Structures are given as C-alpha cells and as structure tokens.
Amino acid sequence: MIEKYKKEAASDVVYNLEYNSERQRLIIPEYGRHLQKLIDQATAIEDDETRNKAAKYIIQVMGSLNPHLRDVPDFQHKLWDQLFIMSDFKLNVESPYPIPSRDVLQLKPDALQYPQNFPKYRFYGNNIKYMIDVANKWEEGEMKNALVLVIANHMKKSFLSWNKDTVKDDVIFEHLYELSGGKINLLQSTEELLNTTDLMRTNKRVSNKTTPGGQPKIQSNKNNNKGGKKPFQKNNNQK
C-alpha cells in the first residue's frame, strides 16, 4: 500500500523554509521568481536544441503577461533582451535579434548641459533673451517690428506674473533696450502694449452642478419632461 500522506517532522519543515532575504536577487522583479527560475534552469541545459526550445517557451510565457503587445515586433525584441539580461548574459541560445552585452547595458547617458545663464531680470526667463538675440539678427522691416512687439508684450506678461501691480510700458521698453544691448530702442516709440487686464485674463469655468453663488442648480421641468409626459403631482384629496 502506497502511503498517501507522509507526516514530516516540525523541525524539518522549519529547516526547509525559504526566506526572501536568503533568495537570489531578482534582476527584473516584474516577472516574478518563477520565471527567473525557469531562465536559470534553461541556462543550465547542456543540449543546444533543448536549450533553444526552452528559451522560446520562456519568451511565450513572458509575452503572455502582456498579451496586447505579444505580436508587436519591437516588443519581441524587448523580450529577448530581457531574457538575456535576466540570465545575467549566461544564456547561450540563438536569438532572432542582436544579443545585448553587459557593457552596453551599463553605459551611462551623457550629462545634460543645463543652461548656466544668470540673467539680471530672471522673471523674464532665458527664452526671452533668446528671442531678443534672434530679433537682433533680423533685417529691419515689418516682420522684425512685429516680432519686437510680441517680445515686449510677453515681457510685460512675465513681469505681471511676478508683480501683480500694473507696470508702465516705458519700464518694459527700458528692459528691452538693456537686454538687446541697445539694438532695440522703443523708448521714443508711440507703440502701446496690451492692457494688464487682457494679459492677465483667465477663463473661469463654472461648474454645471452649482451656480456662481454656490447654490445647487434647479433644473426646470421643461428639460426633464421629455416625450410630453407631465410631472408627477401628489393628490392631497386621496385618502
């Protein structure tokens, strides 16, 4: 008679417990430990044909976790790259895509060259200075005058976002003259910039559930009674 259940000693059960702190670190934790064990088993297979079949099977399992992207060619390339990465680049199988290397994976991106400009009027921003430099290179004409006027209006808007009070156009013209190195001179110009209210105007959206006063909006029966049905009215004469 075959023994169906075998009683184990409590000490053996505790001894065979496996804690996460004692397990091997997962390279890509999103796939879980079971898939990592499958990859480790496939890496240890000695027969090339069997190992290739196991790798293709693992790719199918990885793709089943994202079925909506399983048949996308670029996604297949990503799965194969992750397969080699999770095997610690020890898996020797035939891949339909170039096999990544550890050196490429450990490459660090180049440091970004952040602008180190410290303008005198920081509330205008660096883009205004770039626009002014571009305007200085343009030839005199209507296009340049229009660009200068747009820059001046944007400078006024930026100034008002920093200082909520009104600002005179002469102040903007003086700053524009200074930032352009004296090449753009509107100090004696008769041009007028946009009003403060036009520049600082915002679109206030009113909720369709409440009125501006905060009271709930009562919908009329005309809109609710579709199809010509009369609203229900209680008959006080009924007993």
Side-chain angles (χ1 to χ4, degrees):
M1 181 176 179
I2 300 175
E3 186 179 1
K4 187 174 183 181
Y5 299 103
K6 181 179 180 181
K7 186 177 180 180
E8 296 182 359
S11 58
D12 296 339
V13 175
V14 175
Y15 179 78
N16 293 327
L17 284 177
E18 189 177 8
Y19 295 94
N20 287 333
S21 59
E22 299 176 351
R23 293 175 175 176
Q24 185 181 2
R25 184 183 64 87
L26 294 177
I27 300 176
I28 303 180
E30 289 79 2
Y31 287 106
R33 187 167 298 278
H34 293 293
L35 190 63
Q36 181 66 51
K37 290 183 177 180
L38 283 176
I39 296 175
D40 295 340
Q41 293 176 4
T43 305
I45 297 175
E46 297 181 357
D47 184 54
D48 294 341
E49 185 178 356
T50 306
R51 188 168 57 251
N52 286 313
K53 289 182 179 180
K56 294 178 180 179
Y57 170 74
I58 294 173
I59 290 295
Q60 293 179 2
V61 175
M62 294 171 65
S64 63
L65 299 177
N66 299 286
H68 59 289
L69 298 174
R70 183 170 50 189
D71 298 330
V72 179
D74 294 340
F75 187 68
Q76 289 287 326
H77 192 180
K78 180 179 179 180
L79 292 180
W80 279 97
D81 289 345
Q82 291 178 344
L83 176 63
F84 288 108
I85 293 172
M86 294 176 67
S87 67
D88 197 18
F89 302 97
K90 298 178 181 179
L91 183 61
N92 184 15
V93 294
E94 297 178 0
S95 173
Y97 304 98
I99 300 177
S101 62
R102 191 187 304 272
D103 297 335
V104 176
L105 183 64
Q106 295 178 352
L107 286 177
K108 295 182 179 180
D110 297 335
L112 294 176
Q113 299 296 330
Y114 289 98
Q116 302 297 329
N117 298 333
F118 300 98
K120 182 178 180 180
Y121 306 107
R122 294 190 178 184
F123 47 84
Y124 290 135
N126 291 325
N127 290 334
I128 286 292
K129 187 63 175 66
Y130 297 151
M131 294 172 66
I132 293 173
D133 295 339
V134 172
N136 288 334
K137 298 177 182 179
W138 283 20
E139 297 180 357
E140 297 294 336
E142 295 181 358
M143 294 292 294
K144 181 176 181 178
N145 295 335
L147 177 60
V148 170
L149 189 60
V150 170
I151 294 173
N153 282 312
H154 193 74
M155 290 175 63
K156 185 176 181 179
K157 183 177 180 180
S158 300
F159 189 97
L160 292 172
S161 63
W162 168 70
N163 185 3
K164 299 300 181 182
D165 298 334
T166 58
V167 58
K168 295 182 178 180
D169 294 348
D170 296 340
V171 177
I172 302 298
F173 293 156
E174 290 178 1
H175 293 172
L176 181 59
Y177 179 79
E178 183 177 355
L179 293 175
S180 64
K183 296 181 180 180
I184 300 177
N185 188 357
L186 297 179
L187 298 176
Q188 305 299 329
S189 176
T190 58
E191 292 284 351
E192 293 183 0
L193 301 180
L194 296 177
N195 297 329
T196 302
T197 55
D198 295 336
L199 291 173
M200 302 303 295
R201 182 180 302 168
T202 56
N203 296 326
K204 296 182 179 180
R205 298 182 179 179
V206 180
S207 175
N208 58 353
K209 296 182 179 180
T210 57
T211 58
Q215 299 296 330
K217 185 183 294 184
I218 301 176
Q219 298 180 354
S220 62
N221 293 329
K222 295 180 180 180
N223 297 331
N224 294 333
N225 298 333
K226 296 181 180 180
K229 296 182 180 180
K230 295 182 179 181
F232 174 77
Q233 294 181 356
K234 182 178 180 181
N235 188 357
N236 297 327
N237 296 329
Q238 295 179 355
K239 294 182 180 180

